[in-house]
C-alpha cells in the first residue's frame, strides 16, 4: 500500500513560519521525484516546490526565496519550510510522489492534504 501522509499545517500569522512534512511508505522513496502542491477553492492545484530523486529543486515564482523543499531519503520524508508567510499562501497543501512507470499504470501518488491558513 502506497501512503503519503502530510503534517504540520495550521494557523499562522502573516510573516510567520510553518514547516510541513510528508512521510512516504510503500514506495522506493529515493528514486521518486517529490513535490508540494497547493489548492484553493475554485482554482487548479499548482506546484509550489519540487525536488527530484537527484536532489535538484524548483519553486513557483511566488514562493522563491521564502520556501525551501528538502528530502531525507533515510527517513522517507520530504519537508517544506515556509517562511515570511502571506495571506495568499493560504491553501490546502498536498504531497506528491512521481516516477516514470515501466508499464501502463502511472506511478503517481498524492497525500490527503493539510490546511495552511495565514491570517491575523
Amino acid at each position: 500500500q502506497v501512503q503519503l501522509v502530510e503534517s504540520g499545517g495550521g494557523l499562522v500569522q502573516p510573516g510567520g513560519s510553518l514547516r510541513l512534512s510528508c512521510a512516504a511508505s510503500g514506495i522506493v522513496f529515493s528514486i521518486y521525484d517529490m513535490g508540494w502542491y497547493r489548492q484553493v477553492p475554485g482554482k487548479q492545484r499548482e506546484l509550489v516546490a519540487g525536488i527530484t530523486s537527484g536532489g535538484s529543486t524548483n519553486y513557483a515564482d511566488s514562493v522563491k526565496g521564502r520556501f525551501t523543499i528538502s528530502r531525507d531519503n533515510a527517513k522517507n520524508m520530504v519537508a517544506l519550510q515556509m517562511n515570511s508567510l502571506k495571506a495568499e499562501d493560504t491553501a490546502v497543501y498536498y504531497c506528491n510522489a512521481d516516477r516514470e512507470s515501466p508499464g501502463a499504470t502511472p506511478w503517481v501518488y498524492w497525500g490527503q492534504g493539510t490546511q495552511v491558513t495565514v491570517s491575523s
Side-chain angles (χ1 to χ4, degrees), residues 2-6 21-25 27-37 47-59 69-73 75-80 94-100 107-111:
V2 177
Q3 196 167 32
L4 303 177
V5 181
E6 301 100 331
S21 295
C22 173
S25 61
I27 61 170
V28 183
F29 181 82
S30 62
I31 62 175
Y32 275 75
D33 296 334
M34 302 298 298
W36 286 96
Y37 290 71
L47 176 67
V48 177
I51 183 165
T52 69
S53 60
S56 298
T57 60
N58 65 285
Y59 300 90
I69 188 170
S70 61
R71 66 189 297 159
D72 187 338
N73 289 342
K75 297 180 179 179
N76 286 8
M77 298 277 289
V78 61
L80 184 68
Y94 296 89
C95 181
N96 168 267
D98 190 341
R99 182 179 180 252
E100 300 256 335
W107 288 355
V108 180
Y109 307 100
W110 294 93

Side-chain angles (χ1 to χ4, degrees), residues 12 91 115:
V12 64
Q115 177 71 47

